[in-house]
Amino acid sequence: MNEVRSFYFPRFRIDPANQQLWRDNEIVPVRPKTFRILLYLIQNPQRLISRQELIAEVWPENEISANLLRTYVWELRQVLGDTAKPPHYIETVNRRGYRFLPRVSAESPNSNSLAEHTLSARERPEEAGDAAAIHSRNENGRPSDSAIRIGVLHSLTGTMAYSESPVVDATLLAIDEINHRGGLLGQRIEPLVVDGRSDGEIFAREAECLLETRDVAAIFGCWMSAHRKKVVPVVERHKSILIYPVQYEGMELSSNVFHTGAAPNQQIIPAIRWAFGFLNCKRLFLVGSDYIFPRVANQIIRDQLDQIGGTVVGEVYIAPGAFEIKDLAARIATANAELIVNTINGDSNIAFFRTLRTAGITADRIPTLSFSIGENELRNLDIAGTYASWNYFQSIKSPENIRFVDSFHRRYGPQRVTSDPMEAAYIGVHLWAQAVLESGTAEPSRIRETLPHQSFNAPEGLVRMDSSNQHTWKTIRLGRVLENGQFEVTYSSERPIQPEPFPATRSRTEWTALLESFNTPLQR
């Protein structure tokens, strides 16, 4: 770290040698201790830093209270223009410590750094919009003209950074593995990492910039369906490719989109039937974020309950990023629910589970089945005994997964965890790379012909694209949360399931009409 000349994160530059913080082109006054706290946080981005660790770093020879540390963190938030709820830069992890959320680029004194290029792009909005790009370099440290450029489009700030930032790390790991083997067709893969800021309009604008200005061969990204639905028309207009790594509500077929996350019949439907049969839960309370995935997912769940004899006893939606959830626990308790089905996304899950525990609703009293909580989210949650449905868990014992986890730990540190969307992003890069090698080009029109026929021996097991719908054959798994923040697999289909984007309970026309009925600004 001593050789780093400057650090960069959105809108800011840090000069460690001169103890200066710059916002755009202006120096921001900051006290020495406050500067040291910021410097240590940005040197460890996206890692949970305990209060004890931060105190030992900034005050190595003094004993100070956690209250004094909180005062300095509050001051730092004021300097950055940040807030605690929701945080954009510094996240407070209750009773544990702090996490710096944005990705950070570093500039060394002996080369043209990644961050230096990022800043110049931000200073040319007519060329790059608000893109924060990370470019590969040739041996002279300069951008490679012969590289294959791809876009990596995820939320690095805002409510969804909580879940999406680790997906970027897994994507970059796969790219590094391929580049280490010599790249593709004699060229390195050059990832351009862009922050969608948890906002659909920004996702669309950055996708346009990546395809129109940066001329990327494909985009890897999105989490929320509301964001994907903003990006897909842009990708289709440019006749390019989006590789989407997250489970979703289905009801989508596009020749320009490839899904490496689960379709409804590979996650939602078997999970509900498992809970009905194995947990004997027949009275379900549905809780979700207020956008299209939870609303459509709950319609899918209602259809399943109609078939098997279950009942929905309550249905509540909260705004994405909400931290105050009033009266929800009381409604769940008075409804005599036997299972809470959770489709909340992002950091609102923290407030949701805190509300349940404060009201005495534990996993022993009313279990919760979640569809968007994985190992990364568990780092900030104390919810042992609850359940989640995915295709991948870090705890899977297979040679491929052991290699994947070990490789991830070597790059990012042993304290990090892997999760389903991360693994799906990782395999998406490898499937695309295989298609490039088979096609002899990264041209999107050719990749759309070869990618539907690819398979990969993934950490979760063998996966392959279904050429009829461009979704992935995947194995369904149910996991119970353990005290150590990992999952114990309680159910597995043991073999990949063919994807069905349109569940059989309704016709494709009926599902399409349902989607149109949710086509309001709030719910998109």
Side-chain angles (χ1 to χ4, degrees), residues 101-269:
L101 296 176
R103 294 185 63 82
V104 176
S105 300
E107 175 188 5
S108 65
N110 297 319
S111 68
N112 296 322
S113 72
L114 306 181
E116 189 173 54
H117 191 87
T118 297
L119 185 66
S120 66
R122 290 181 59 82
E123 291 171 347
R124 297 194 301 272
E126 72 280 6
E127 294 184 19
D130 293 322
I134 300 178
H135 293 265
S136 66
R137 304 266 155 173
N138 62 22
E139 293 180 356
N140 297 319
R142 301 189 180 280
S144 172
D145 294 331
S146 63
I148 301 173
R149 288 184 172 185
I150 62 172
V152 181
L153 177 55
H154 279 289
S155 296
L156 305 180
T157 55
T159 186
M160 289 307 299
Y162 173 67
S163 296
E164 290 189 65
S165 293
V167 179
V168 174
D169 294 335
T171 304
L172 296 179
L173 174 64
I175 293 168
D176 278 356
E177 290 178 349
I178 296 166
N179 283 339
H180 184 72
R181 296 197 297 263
L184 298 173
L185 309 176
Q187 298 174 291
R188 291 178 58 81
I189 305 173
E190 180 180 309
L192 309 185
V193 181
V194 179
D195 183 5
R197 301 192 209 170
S198 305
D199 184 293
E201 297 300 330
I202 294 175
F203 266 88
R205 187 171 73 233
E206 297 293 9
E208 182 71 37
C209 175
L210 285 168
L211 295 168
E212 178 68 26
T213 305
R214 297 301 183 186
D215 195 28
V216 298
I219 293 178
F220 296 77
C222 301
W223 181 298
M224 292 179 66
S225 289
H227 300 162
R228 185 192 70 254
K229 286 183 175 295
K230 292 289 187 179
V231 170
V232 169
V234 178
V235 173
E236 290 176 334
R237 186 169 65 254
H238 286 274
K239 299 180 180 179
S240 190
I241 292 171
L242 170 67
I243 297 180
Y244 178 64
V246 184
Q247 42 56 262
Y248 83 122
E249 70 281 354
M251 329 303 172
E252 186 171 284
L253 290 177
S254 170
S255 62
N256 301 86
V257 182
F258 294 85
H259 297 259
T260 58
N265 71 307
Q266 298 167 314
Q267 188 205 29
I268 297 170
I269 293 173

Side-chain angles (χ1 to χ4, degrees), residues 48 91 93 96 99 159-167 223 246-247 342 344-351 353 370-383 386 388 390 392-394 416-422 481 485-487:
L48 174 61
E91 174 190 32
V93 181
R96 298 175 67 186
R99 178 181 287 114
T159 186
M160 289 307 299
Y162 173 67
S163 296
E164 290 189 65
S165 293
V167 179
W223 181 298
V246 184
Q247 42 56 262
N342 171 29
I344 295 173
N345 275 261
D347 51 14
S348 295
N349 276 295
I350 299 172
F353 280 104
S370 297
F371 291 116
S372 293
I373 287 183
E375 289 84 348
N376 277 292
E377 290 75 17
L378 291 179
R379 301 176 76 185
N380 298 317
L381 297 170
D382 183 14
I383 56 172
T386 63
W390 291 105
Y392 168 87
F393 292 114
Q394 181 177 323
R416 295 291 301 277
V417 295
T418 57
S419 67
D420 183 287
M422 295 168 67
V481 179
Q486 289 292 319
F487 287 93

Side-chain angles (χ1 to χ4, degrees), residues 108 229 280 310 474 497:
S108 65
K229 286 183 175 295
N280 197 31
K474 300 176 77 71
I497 298 173

